[in-house]
Amino acid sequence: MRTDRHGGRDDQWGTERSGRRAMSVTRAWVRAAHPVPVVVVTVWTGCLAVSVGHSAASGALVTLAVLTGQLSVGWLNDLVDAARDARAGRAGKPVAQGRLARATVAAMVLGSALSATALTALCGRAAAVAHLLALLSAWVYDLGVKATAWSVLPYLVSFGLLPGVVTFALPGAPAPPVWLVVSGALLGCAAHFVNTLPDLAADARVGVRGLPHRLGPAGSSVAAAVTLLGSALALAAAPRLGGELRLLALAALLAAALAAVAGLLWLGVRGGGARLAFPTVLLVAALEMGLLLIAGTSVGAAG
């Protein structure tokens, strides 16, 4: 009886340890994928798909394609930066810490990239080409452009192409309206500046000198505020956007204007801009998503 009791307890402990290990590995994969950008871009894609008139099935397909592509971008980023992150002593980097095998991560990058390409191919040739170009731009950033003065360019290109991925997947493959492309591209630029702000010092120690590093905290804060304001202005330029939609546009503009003012106020405050900037971009992105959802047929008609 005692042996059986202890044996059962050992089995239970073994199961619990296995469960904890599985959860730890899952958290490591999620962490390595850069979950916040992945979620924001995926939700933005889903909102845009609804606003331009996708059916539930086609909207889910294009959103899943973008999600899969974003996973490849995030995992590639951590894989390429593993040695640099280890030297910088960055916490929360599973590949650099050895919690995920580099060969396994490389296989996941390749698998998710191929899956994203195949899923978008089901949405039509134009959507597939636009998505592949957006992903190539993001991968190029991961592979070295992030350390150059041109680091903002892949964000400009990838976020500018994202509306095309969604609208080209519609019947007839309509091109996205110019105001939507401009808004997406500028939102991507703002995301680049604010995403880099907290890591400027650590990046500099390991030789990364992208555009935000060259501009410094003050210049990057101003650049983020200006591009965020430009994104909201472009979205507010949507044709036939009146009534309650105009009020939402003004709300997005107000949030962007406040971000610009906050960035300027924090220029001389060490670290303040970095803490404030990212939540501000998320706020404006959320307002723009809401605007796109309510705009609905206006956005679709403009395409």
Side-chain angles (χ1 to χ4, degrees), residues 208-235:
V208 175
R209 281 187 51 78
L211 183 58
H213 307 84
R214 297 163 196 259
L215 293 178
S220 294
S221 296
V222 172
V226 169
T227 50
L228 197 58
L229 180 62
S231 174
L233 283 169
L235 195 62

Side-chain angles (χ1 to χ4, degrees), residues 197 200 216-219 221 261-277:
L197 270 174
L200 288 179
S221 296
V261 172
L264 293 173
L265 290 176
W266 281 105
L267 289 183
V269 181
R270 185 177 180 180
R275 288 193 297 269
L276 179 68

Side-chain angles (χ1 to χ4, degrees), residues 85-98:
D85 290 336
R87 290 199 304 273
R90 286 178 177 163
K93 294 290 185 179
V95 183
Q97 294 171 343

Side-chain angles (χ1 to χ4, degrees), residues 86-149:
R87 290 199 304 273
R90 286 178 177 163
K93 294 290 185 179
V95 183
Q97 294 171 343
R99 295 166 58 196
L100 296 175
R102 298 190 187 188
T104 306
V105 177
M108 290 294 286
V109 169
L110 179 60
S112 56
L114 292 174
S115 297
T117 305
L119 287 169
T120 321
L122 298 175
C123 300
R125 182 181 302 175
V129 170
H131 194 201
L132 182 58
L133 290 175
L135 288 175
L136 284 173
S137 174
W139 294 332
V140 165
Y141 173 85
D142 286 346
L143 293 171
V145 173
K146 67 186 297 179
T148 73

Side-chain angles (χ1 to χ4, degrees), residues 230-251:
S231 174
L233 283 169
L235 195 62
R240 295 188 296 280
L241 193 63
E244 61 181 1
L245 303 183
R246 178 62 60 187
L247 292 177
L248 285 174
L250 291 176

Side-chain angles (χ1 to χ4, degrees), residues 179-220:
W179 57 266
L180 187 54
V181 173
V182 171
S183 181
L186 291 177
L187 185 62
C189 291
H192 173 51
F193 286 112
V194 301
N195 194 46
T196 310
L197 270 174
D199 298 323
L200 288 179
D203 285 342
R205 288 196 296 269
V206 293
V208 175
R209 281 187 51 78
L211 183 58
H213 307 84
R214 297 163 196 259
L215 293 178
S220 294

